């Protein structure tokens, strides 16, 4: 691991309305080629954390560094043009546009001739080839998640922020998504992964954070957490609540 | 001296009648956050309703039932309420600016009915011949005007007190909850659409009352009295005074109406003859500027709302 | 009847041009802009001014285009008017709406747009006079295409329809083939996701104002060419434009085109059965009917 982390969040306090923070004093780091999971109950502030990193929230205090450069308060579009990719939890594709248009649009943010990147995505996600000319709104849930992932990867980011990429997917499809993440991380991409399915996330990730009520509750090696009896009781037991994918964010 | 007094009586009568409409708008916009782009439609419904019900019979035309005054006035108010219900039912569930468009449209529709449906509204020449209540009994016209002003003041105070009571009641808190945060209101177990509709209809009926008094004062109503500019004037009055504050609404009415009458007088007195034709345009520009600049520079008006539940100004920090 | 159909399509294509900008802004910035119709008047009057300027500069330009009452100078003036109206729209946003977006909610912008429309409309009246005028005072005779059913058509009217068609096809190509088009579609569907995909929201909003303003200028020119120029033409059109946008579904550009045609046709056909005095109320009835029956319009999505 090189000395500079892909992502270094320190003491981050942020929310949607000034003076009403949702997350407080959060510390998170993601190293080069590392997969870091964030788990926690519904409403813990996991999505808010990702949105704050992506410049979509009101930041009260704290700092965010990407590859050693401070990016706190930088506009979202500038961030995502400089090597960060973010896949929101919901509404993460343009439904009225075709798969092709979605990919071209997403690819445009790295350089003008994104067609080779698009080709690459199609070979990574062969499913998208079949639906290339379809409107994205007509895709199935799994296909949508693949498209959203492809839109994030097409610009070849160094840091990938993923908000529940397996939500609403059949178990097999979810497993497929997660296994692709390992391939992506290998060449050095840092991945911050929010997952509801904590077991699967911990099985895949290198390290993990547990978020509850807007605070860091726990952090550690993913494998160790998986076998931690207390954590297992709270977060890995059968206490997953309803269908979070349908919840407005 | 007599001239001044009778002028002041006239000025305050009109201003305070308009203040009632401004209070109605304050309930809709100030307390509930409903945009009514056609205030004049509800004002007109009250005015025409009153004269159609309480006026003398007209040959071969509808209306002129010669009903007792209070019943006719109530009928006009009710007509405003029904009109508001029709528009509100279609829009209070939808995007919030649909109400603005639909109310703007209803004002245009009402104006074209007033101009064209001679059978109903007398068309361009309007409805004349209304007998003002107790006028013959009072006899002396100046005294009558003064007494009428007193009646207007009583109505204004009545509406003011009723609204103050309403906004302090649990229902009033619901209104503000709906204005501030639809989702929060929903979680209280109340249907925001229903609350909005109720506030919209009550506000419109207050505007109808204002229109009824206006028509009573002139004993006459015609399409000239319900020109679209009236909506803008009433809006300017509310925003200048401070929306969400009933006393502010009344203060704003006096300031803006004073400014309107004063600027009209100044233009007639001092503008060169070649410009007289444009006096109206200049006054309209003034109203437009009052609206835009107040929103930009002093959005809370002269008398800001007293109880602020959330920091509304900061609630849209989303970077757009 | 045939005449009514023709007039309806003619008015409808003008409304469609005007409604495209309205629906875009209403969708992206989430507010009903009551001053949009004033951009139509502004465009029409800008064209009048620059027509005079070009006419004075060059003798060649005062010649008419074949068959039409439009001169070359007027044609050039329309291009300038498009650019100026687009710029004006962007400047109004900068001065008024953008600040309010930061300070307050969308309804405050609706409110301000009422004020802006009053100002723009009456400034036009002050500058150009309150009387209505024409681009060209020559009498243009209509051709009788058919006597029974009666159909009278002016060459200018055919020109307007073709112009509208060309612009819509061009717009379609821009939206579906160019990156500017993708950007607009993306922002109008989901501004946040657009930002996440590297799109500069502020720049796109400016672009939408300029596009909407430019189209409004053409629509205003077409309307004035077919009828007349008058400072209150915006006021007369505003409700029809909203009707077109709502019928089509807010945010849908193709919906706005279809909505414009529907409103134009409905208004024109309705006049067969109801007196002309009620014409201003027809768009309102269309709006009300749409909101009751299909509140999201033909192509709109609920939010
Ligand atoms: N746009 C918003 N405006 C205001 N508050 C919001 C917004 N989005 C979320 N919240 C609030 O922020 C808190 C944290 O929400 P967040 O979406 O970050 O949780 P989460 O951990 O991602 O939950 P989930 O597992 O359901 O996705 C919640 O209380 C939620 O109500
Ligand atoms: Mg979430």
């Amino acid at each position: 691991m090189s000395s500079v982390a892909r992502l270094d969040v320190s003491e981050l306090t942020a929310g949607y309305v000034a003076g009403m923070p949702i997350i407080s004093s959060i510390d998170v780091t993601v190293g080069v080629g590392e997969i870091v999971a964030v788990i926690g109950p519904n409403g813990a502030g996991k999505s808010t954390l990702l949105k704050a990193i992506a410049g979509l929230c009101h930041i009260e205090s704290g700092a965010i560094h990407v590859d050693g450069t401070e990016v706190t308060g930088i506009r979202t579009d500038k961030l995502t043009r400089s090597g960060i990719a973010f896949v929101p939890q919901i509404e993460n594709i343009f439904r009225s546009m075709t798969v092709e248009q979605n990919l071209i649009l997403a690819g445009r943010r790295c350089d003008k001739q994104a067609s080779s990147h698009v080709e690459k995505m199609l070979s990574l996600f062969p499913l998208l080839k079949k639906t290339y000319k379809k409107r994205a709104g007509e895709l199935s849930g799994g296909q949508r998640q693949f498209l959203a992932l492809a839109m994030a990867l097409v610009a070849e980011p160094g840091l990938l922020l993923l908000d529940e990429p397996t939500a609403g997917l059949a178990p097999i499809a979810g497993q497929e998504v997660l296994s692709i993440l390992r391939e992506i991380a290998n060449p050095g991409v840092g991945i911050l992964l929010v997952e509801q399915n904590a077991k699967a996330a911990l099985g895949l990730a290198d390290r993990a954070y547990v978020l509850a009520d807007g605070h860091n509750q726990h952090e550690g090696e993913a494998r160790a957490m998986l076998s931690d009896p207390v954590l297992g009781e709270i977060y890995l037991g059968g206490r997953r609540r309803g269908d979070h994918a349908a919840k407005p964010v | 001296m007599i001239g001044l007094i009778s002028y002041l009586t006239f000025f305050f009568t009109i201003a305070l009648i308009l203040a009632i409409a401004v209070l109605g708008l304050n309930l809709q916009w100030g307390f509930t956050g409903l945009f009514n782009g056609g205030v004049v439609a509800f004002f007109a419904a009250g005015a025409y309703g009153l004269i159609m019900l309480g006026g003398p019979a007209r040959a071969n035309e509808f209306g002129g039932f010669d009903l007792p005054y209070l019943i006719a006035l109530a009928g006009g108010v009710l007509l405003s309420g029904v009109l508001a219900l029709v528009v509100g039912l279609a829009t209070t569930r939808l995007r919030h600016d649909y109400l603005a468009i639909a109310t703007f449209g209803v004002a245009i529709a009402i104006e074209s009915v007033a101009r064209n449906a001679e059978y109903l509204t007398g068309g361009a020449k309007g409805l004349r011949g209304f007998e003002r209540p107790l006028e013959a009994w009072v006899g002396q016209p100046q005294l009558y005007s003064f007494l009428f002003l007193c009646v207007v003041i009583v109505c204004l105070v009545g509406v003011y007190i009723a609204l103050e009571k309403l906004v302090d009641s649990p229902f009033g808190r619901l209104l503000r909850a709906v204005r501030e945060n639809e989702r929060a209101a929903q979680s209280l177990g109340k249907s925001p659409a229903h609350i909005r509709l109720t506030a919209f209809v009550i506000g419109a009926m207050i505007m109808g009352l204002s229109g009824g008094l206006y028509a009573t004062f002139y004993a006459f109503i015609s399409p000239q009295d319900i020109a679209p500019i009236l909506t803008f004037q009433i809006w300017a009055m509310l925003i200048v005074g401070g929306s969400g504050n009933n006393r502010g609404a009344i203060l704003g009415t006096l300031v803006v109406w004073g400014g309107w009458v004063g600027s009209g007088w100044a233009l007639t007195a001092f503008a060169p003859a070649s410009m007289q034709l444009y006096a109206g345009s200049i006054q309209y520009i003034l109203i437009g500027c009052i609206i835009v600049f107040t929103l930009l520079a002093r959005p809370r008006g002269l008398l800001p709302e007293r109880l602020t539940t959330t920091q509304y100004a900061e609630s849209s920090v989303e970077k757009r | 009847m045939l005449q009514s159909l023709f007039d309806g399509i003619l008015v409808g294509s003008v409304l469609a041009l005007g409604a495209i900008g309205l629906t875009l802004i209403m969708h992206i910035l989430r507010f009903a802009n009551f001053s949009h119709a004033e951009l139509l008047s502004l465009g029409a009057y800008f064209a009048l001014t620059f027509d005079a300027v070009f006419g004075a500069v060059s003798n060649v330009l005062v010649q008419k285009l074949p068959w039409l009452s439009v001169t070359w100078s007027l044609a050039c003036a329309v291009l300038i008017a498009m650019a100026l109206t687009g710029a004006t729209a962007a400047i109004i946003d900068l001065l008024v709406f953008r600040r309010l977006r930061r300070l307050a909610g969308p309804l405050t912008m609706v409110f301000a747009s009422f004020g802006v429309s009053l100002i723009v409309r009456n400034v036009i009246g002050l500058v150009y006079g309150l009387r209505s005028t024409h681009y060209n005072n020559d009498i243009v005779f209509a051709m009788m295409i058919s006597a029974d059913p009666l159909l009278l058509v002016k060459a200018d009217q055919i020109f307007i329809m073709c112009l509208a068609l060309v612009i819509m096809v061009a717009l379609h190509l821009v939206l579906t083939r160019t990156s500017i088009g993708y950007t607009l579609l993306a922002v109008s569907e989901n501004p946040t996701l657009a930002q996440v995909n590297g799109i500069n929201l502020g720049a796109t909003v400016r672009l939408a104002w300029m596009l909407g303003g430019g189209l409004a200028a053409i629509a205003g020119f077409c309307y004035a060419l077919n009828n007349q120029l008058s400072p209150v033409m915006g006021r007369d059109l505003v409700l029809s434009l909203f009707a077109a946008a709502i019928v089509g579904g807010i945010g849908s550009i193709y919906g706005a085109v279809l909505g414009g045609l529907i409103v134009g046709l409905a208004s024109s056909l309705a006049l067969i059965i109801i007196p002309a005095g009620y014409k201003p109320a027809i768009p309102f009835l269309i709006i009300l009917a749409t909101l009751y029956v299909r509140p999201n319009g033909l192509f709109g999505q609920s939010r």
Side-chain angles (χ1 to χ4, degrees), chain B residues 113-133:
Chain B
V113 169
R115 280 190 194 288
N116 295 286
E118 293 199 6
Y119 171 75
L120 209 58
T121 62
K125 64 184 193 317
L127 291 174
R128 294 178 184 280
F130 178 74
E131 265 181 58
R132 304 202 282 182

Side-chain angles (χ1 to χ4, degrees), chain B residues 124-182:
Chain B
K125 64 184 193 317
L127 291 174
R128 294 178 184 280
F130 178 74
E131 265 181 58
R132 304 202 282 182
L134 303 180
E135 188 167 18
W137 184 74
V138 173
Q140 226 265 349
Q142 244 139 34
L143 179 64
Y144 186 84
S145 299
F146 183 73
L147 288 178
F148 188 76
L149 175 60
C150 295
V151 171
V152 170
I153 292 174
V154 168
C155 287
L156 179 65
V157 170
V159 170
Y160 174 86
I161 292 174
L163 281 183
E164 288 286 298
K165 281 235 162 76
L166 184 77
V167 293
D168 280 340
S169 71
F171 182 73
R173 281 195 289 282
L174 274 181
L175 294 184
R176 280 188 297 273
V178 167
R179 180 188 69 182
E180 303 293 335
N181 189 337
E182 190 112 330

Side-chain angles (χ1 to χ4, degrees), chain B residues 29 33 35 37 85-87 89-91 94-98 100-102 104-106 108-109 112-113 116-117 229 232 235 239 275 277-278 280-282 284-285 287-289 291-292 295-296 312-313 316 319-320, chain C residues 26-32 34 95-96 99-105 107-108 110-112 114-116 118-119 122-123 125-126 129-130 191 195 201 238-239 242 246 250 277-278 280-281 284 287-288 291-292 295:
Chain B
W29 169 253
F35 195 98
L85 199 64
V86 172
V87 179
L89 276 177
T91 51
L94 306 176
R95 258 179 77 125
H96 294 192
D97 47 6
Y98 279 6
I101 299 169
F104 181 78
V106 84
I108 290 180
S112 74
V113 169
N116 295 286
I229 187 70
F232 296 100
W235 270 105
I239 180 95
M275 284 304 286
L277 188 57
Y278 294 100
S281 299
I282 293 171
Y284 285 16
I285 292 174
I287 291 283
C289 289
I291 291 177
V292 172
L295 286 175
L296 284 172
Y312 188 60
S316 27
K319 298 184 211 156
R320 319 200 65 226
Chain C
M26 231 176 131
H27 191 61
I28 296 178
L29 299 181
R30 292 185 176 77
F31 85 104
F34 279 83
L95 292 178
V96 180
R99 295 182 189 204
L100 290 177
R101 273 203 292 288
R102 299 211 173 129
L103 290 172
L107 280 180
T108 309
V110 175
F111 190 177
F114 270 95
V116 170
L118 262 189
I119 297 172
N122 289 288
V123 167
L126 276 186
L130 301 175
Q195 278 182 296
L201 206 54
V238 61
L239 206 55
F242 275 124
I246 290 178
I250 301 299
Y278 291 101
F284 168 67
I287 290 174
L288 207 58
L291 294 184
Y292 268 113

Side-chain angles (χ1 to χ4, degrees), chain A residues 16-17 22 40-49 51 89 163-164 194 196 244 247-249, chain B residues 183:
Chain A
Y16 297 94
V17 178
I22 301 279
N42 288 123
K46 305 181 298 291
S47 298
T48 307
L49 171 63
K51 282 190 258 178
Q89 183 171 358
D163 199 349
E164 308 207 6
V194 168
Q196 195 76 31
H244 44 82
K247 223 183 75 174
V249 175
Chain B
R183 256 202 260 164

Side-chain angles (χ1 to χ4, degrees), chain C residues 222-246:
Chain C
C222 291
Y223 182 83
L225 183 65
N226 191 40
N227 302 285
Q228 59 195 14
L229 289 117
S230 128
V232 295
M233 60 190 263
R235 189 195 66 194
D236 297 342
L237 283 170
V238 61
L239 206 55
S240 301
L241 293 176
F242 275 124
I246 290 178

